[in-house]
Amino acid sequence: IIAGFLRADAGTVLVDGVDVAVDPVAVKRKLGYLPENAPAYPEMTVEEFLGFIAEVRGFRGVVERLARVNRAVAQTRLEPVRRQTIETLSKGYKQRVGFAQALLHDPPALVLDEPTDGLDPNQKNEVRTLIKGMAAEKAVVLSTHILEEVEAICNRVIIISGGKLVADESPERLLARKPGARM
């Protein structure tokens, strides 16, 4: 709903003061979105795909488009595979390609839906490190049902159940509610 891919049944969602329902394009300029199982064109190389996304995002000049791609590749550590086709990549690298497309336009906020789902332990650690690094410069909204991810990545937890806010606190405070509990 925040990213504008689903409509809200009720209520209002504002991103930096902009209503998602009123001006979804303006909201999309402010957000990078990584959906669960992010779609990509498997026959494209990483570089081709990111160049395509940059063009879709409005970066038409060759120099600016290449600069955006190079920056996103560096941020997500995709240099070793930038000329490989996406279909040949490991799931971890495919996830990094998803991150890279979400970062191309340098948005102030990211919405990540289950970013480590299905990754092996090493890939999970790489993606967690990437998220923590991005969180130093951007607001990161992590949507997950995997409580281990919350504990490993988040400094604030918001739990919504049935459309109602039921918790908004640090992971430590949330855990302190029930002695001996782990996320």
Side-chain angles (χ1 to χ4, degrees):
I1 294 171
I2 294 169
F5 285 91
L6 297 174
R7 287 182 187 242
D9 295 337
T12 303
V13 176
L14 301 176
V15 175
D16 197 24
V18 180
D19 189 320
V20 172
V22 174
D23 196 350
V25 174
V27 169
K28 285 177 178 66
R29 284 188 199 107
K30 296 172 182 286
L31 291 178
Y33 178 50
L34 176 62
E36 185 175 8
N37 302 317
Y41 294 103
E43 69 282 355
M44 287 181 153
T45 66
V46 170
E47 193 170 60
E48 290 167 340
F49 175 69
L50 295 176
F52 168 72
I53 296 298
E55 192 166 335
V56 167
R57 284 265 182 206
F59 303 109
R60 304 270 190 262
V62 173
V63 173
E64 184 178 22
R65 194 169 54 241
L66 184 58
R68 294 284 176 161
V69 169
N70 287 341
R71 187 175 150 278
V73 164
Q75 281 182 298
T76 54
R77 293 172 270 169
L78 284 167
E79 193 59 51
V81 298
R82 77 181 291 152
R83 290 186 177 83
Q84 277 185 241
T85 56
I86 293 170
E87 66 193 348
T88 66
L89 301 178
S90 70
K91 189 161 184 176
Y93 271 119
K94 286 178 183 174
Q95 196 70 331
R96 287 190 204 184
V97 172
F99 275 115
Q101 68 77 30
L103 294 168
L104 271 172
H105 62 296
D106 194 23
L110 297 169
V111 176
L112 310 176
D113 185 14
E114 302 289 0
T116 63
D117 190 39
L119 300 181
D120 69 37
N122 289 334
Q123 293 168 333
K124 277 185 183 186
N125 284 333
E126 289 173 4
V127 170
R128 287 173 181 166
T129 300
L130 191 58
I131 293 169
K132 287 177 184 177
M134 286 186 245
E137 298 177 5
K138 302 179 181 306
V140 178
V141 176
L142 176 69
S143 174
T144 185
H145 68 281
I146 303 169
L147 297 178
E148 171 190 345
E149 293 308 306
V150 174
E151 193 172 25
I153 297 172
C154 300
N155 60 16
R156 181 176 175 197
V157 178
I158 297 174
I159 299 175
I160 300 170
S161 180
K164 303 283 187 221
L165 181 70
V166 295
D168 180 357
E169 55 200 333
S170 71
E172 297 78 20
R173 284 194 60 143
L174 188 62
L175 285 171
R177 287 186 186 192
K178 188 170 184 180
R182 260 186 72 75
M183 289 203 158

